[in-house]
Amino acid sequence: LLVVRELTGGIYFGEKTRTATSASDVCSYTTQEIERIARTAFGAARAKVTSVDKANVLETSRLWREVVSELHSREFPHIQLEHVLVDNAAMQLVSAPRHFDTILTENMFGDILSDEAAMLTGSIGMLPSASLSGDGPGMFEPVHGSAPDIAGQGIANPLAMFLSAAMMLRHGLGLESEAAAVESAVEGALAEGLRTHDLGGAVGTAQATRAVLDHLE
């Protein structure tokens, strides 16, 4: 399951106003912004893209749906496309996560849905992420950040870092077999019973790292 989230537009970056009794946040998207992120999602999908919006209410979502549909028919007709309203998508992530391949969505919806999707793995310590552009490999990091509350205790889960490295190899550097090798090493360690503290086990950071490296060919 891959969530492709637009990161530079939408309500987070729109004009903001505030008075003593009212406030507003503008949600704005252009055709170019939508095409850019949609092309990334179609390029990364195995077989299907689920475009998530709120087109029954929001004008930006109606534009989003139109632009994604047009790009799909023009450049990616071999990839299945479906449009799902964001509230329905949130429900299906819990009830039927196997329904999804690649989720494409705007900034705020992606912020929420990616955290929801993270917990399908059992811990946010398992989730890798990438911030990509057209100008370079991108930035790859665990979703959870630096976790200063557990710094120096040797209990952090290193698997999200390994999987972020795999994303860097695949999406940043085009090294598919190397990425698959790192992912296979993580899967092998988990299959042998590796469980860090956040997964209900007692294995520390160093031991978990060694377990993965021992499976890396």
Side-chain angles (χ1 to χ4, degrees), residues 97-118:
R98 282 186 172 87
H99 173 81
F100 297 101
D101 168 359
T102 298
I103 293 174
L104 162 66
T105 193
E106 58 92 66
N107 205 342
M108 184 171 70
F109 296 160
D111 191 2
I112 297 166
L113 292 178
S114 59
D115 281 0
E116 182 188 6

Side-chain angles (χ1 to χ4, degrees), residues 48-158:
K48 181 175 73 172
V49 167
T50 301
S51 181
V52 175
D53 58 42
K54 193 64 176 171
N56 59 335
V57 175
L58 301 177
E59 200 62 45
T60 48
S61 284
R62 286 188 273 271
L63 176 65
W64 181 282
R65 186 172 291 206
E66 291 170 7
V67 172
V68 171
S69 296
E70 196 278 331
L71 180 69
H72 169 255
S73 62
R74 187 176 75 239
E75 296 185 22
F76 301 95
H78 58 289
I79 299 292
Q80 181 184 350
L81 170 65
E82 65 174 357
H83 299 281
V84 176
L85 297 177
V86 63
D87 40 354
N88 186 15
M91 179 184 68
Q92 289 192 55
L93 265 176
V94 174
S95 64
R98 282 186 172 87
H99 173 81
F100 297 101
D101 168 359
T102 298
I103 293 174
L104 162 66
T105 193
E106 58 92 66
N107 205 342
M108 184 171 70
F109 296 160
D111 191 2
I112 297 166
L113 292 178
S114 59
D115 281 0
E116 182 188 6
M119 294 314 298
L120 296 174
T121 68
S123 168
I124 202 169
M126 297 289 293
L127 198 72
S129 76
S131 298
L132 304 175
S133 75
D135 301 324
M139 181 180 72
F140 302 82
E141 61 180 342
V143 161
H144 56 69
S146 58
D149 55 317
I150 58 172
Q153 300 178 41
I155 61 174
N157 185 344

